[in-house]
Amino acid sequence: MNVFNTILSRSKKSKKVLLKDENYSYDQFYKDTILYFNFFKKHLRKKDVIALSLNYSKDYLNIIFAAQKNGNIVTFINPNAPKNEKKFLIKNSKSKLFISRDRLFKSKFKTLNNLYINFFSDSFNNKIKKGDAFIIYTSGTTSRPKGVILTTNSVSSNINAISHDLKLTNKDSTIIFSPPHYAMAYSQILTCMLNQMSFILISSGFKFPGSILDKIIMHKINV
């Protein structure tokens, strides 16, 4: 089962709350994802790579799914990484687009939903195959981060296994504070969305556990 297709098809008609603290619904998520999909369809070929450097947001979710729907692959970049590291990852992954909250590059760009989208020269990546989903990089402590490609099938198998083992339902809700450029982050997000759960995204990580505990109590988080 392709979890991306399943999540999108279920979301289309679901009024259930997706982001608990923003009252953001699954059906609105679907509509916003289609907006990005139309943008990618206009500007990208299948298998083009999108470099995504965003903290958690509705746009973060929309872009991941729009890229999958358009046959593109996403490489995650730490939003707090220095510019030279971001440039290295963009070049190394041969990204066609770079999406960020800030305008970091002077190359051709467009804006969409207050995001800067930089276009780079024709960089079709022959190493990318149909069904590839994400590129995840190491932390960069060696000064030359290495990337690993994960496929849609491997991601789907992982998410289905987690859902089965934890016996999650759409009555459950959780809070996610793994860094948005880690594999664990989207693994948690996709697991929640496959089960139509509500959740809260915390961009600051676990630096402020008191505020996280407050949200757990306020929103009656049970997972």
Side-chain angles (χ1 to χ4, degrees), residues 155-188:
V155 171
S156 296
S157 296
N158 184 45
I159 303 309
N160 283 317
I162 295 171
S163 300
H164 177 268
D165 290 348
L166 296 183
K167 297 179 172 57
L168 298 169
T169 74
N170 62 9
K171 295 180 181 179
D172 292 319
S173 60
T174 192
I175 194 161
I176 297 170
F177 49 85
S178 305
H181 55 290
Y182 279 24
M184 182 182 287
Y186 72 76
S187 221
Q188 293 170 320

Side-chain angles (χ1 to χ4, degrees), residues 32-206:
D32 293 341
T33 295
I34 296 303
L35 184 149
Y36 278 103
F37 165 69
N38 290 334
F39 181 87
F40 293 157
K41 188 175 182 181
K42 180 178 178 181
H43 295 286
L44 296 174
R45 296 177 295 184
K46 290 186 184 300
K47 299 200 289 184
D48 275 338
V49 179
I50 300 167
L52 180 62
S53 182
L54 286 182
N55 278 316
Y56 289 132
S57 63
K58 293 177 285 190
D59 300 289
Y60 176 94
L61 301 179
N62 302 145
I63 289 166
I64 291 171
F65 281 85
Q68 268 291 299
K69 187 172 175 60
N70 197 48
N72 301 119
I73 187 168
V74 174
T75 182
F76 294 98
I77 298 179
N78 182 356
N80 300 316
K83 184 175 179 179
N84 64 323
E85 183 175 317
K86 290 176 179 175
K87 289 176 72 174
F88 173 82
L89 298 185
I90 291 166
K91 183 177 180 180
N92 191 260
S93 62
K94 298 182 179 177
S95 297
K96 180 79 173 187
L97 291 185
F98 173 73
I99 304 177
S100 175
R101 290 278 175 209
D102 307 303
R103 187 185 173 191
L104 296 180
F105 302 104
K106 294 180 180 179
S107 62
K108 178 185 174 184
F109 75 96
K110 289 182 179 290
T111 57
L112 181 64
N113 290 349
N114 295 317
L115 299 178
Y116 284 98
I117 303 178
N118 282 92
F119 293 79
F120 295 101
S121 59
D122 196 358
S123 53
F124 185 73
N125 195 331
N126 290 318
K127 294 180 181 179
I128 302 301
K129 300 175 183 176
K130 183 179 180 181
D132 287 341
F134 302 117
I135 301 176
I136 300 293
Y137 278 90
T138 59
S139 63
T141 51
T142 60
S143 78
R144 291 184 67 82
K146 296 176 177 62
V148 173
I149 295 176
L150 301 181
T151 67
T152 301
N153 285 341
S154 66
V155 171
S156 296
S157 296
N158 184 45
I159 303 309
N160 283 317
I162 295 171
S163 300
H164 177 268
D165 290 348
L166 296 183
K167 297 179 172 57
L168 298 169
T169 74
N170 62 9
K171 295 180 181 179
D172 292 319
S173 60
T174 192
I175 194 161
I176 297 170
F177 49 85
S178 305
H181 55 290
Y182 279 24
M184 182 182 287
Y186 72 76
S187 221
Q188 293 170 320
I189 287 169
L190 294 177
T191 300
C192 292
M193 295 182 74
L194 181 66
N195 292 283
Q196 290 274 292
M197 292 169 59
S198 297
F199 53 90
I200 296 171
L201 295 169
I202 305 290
S203 293
S204 59
F206 202 59

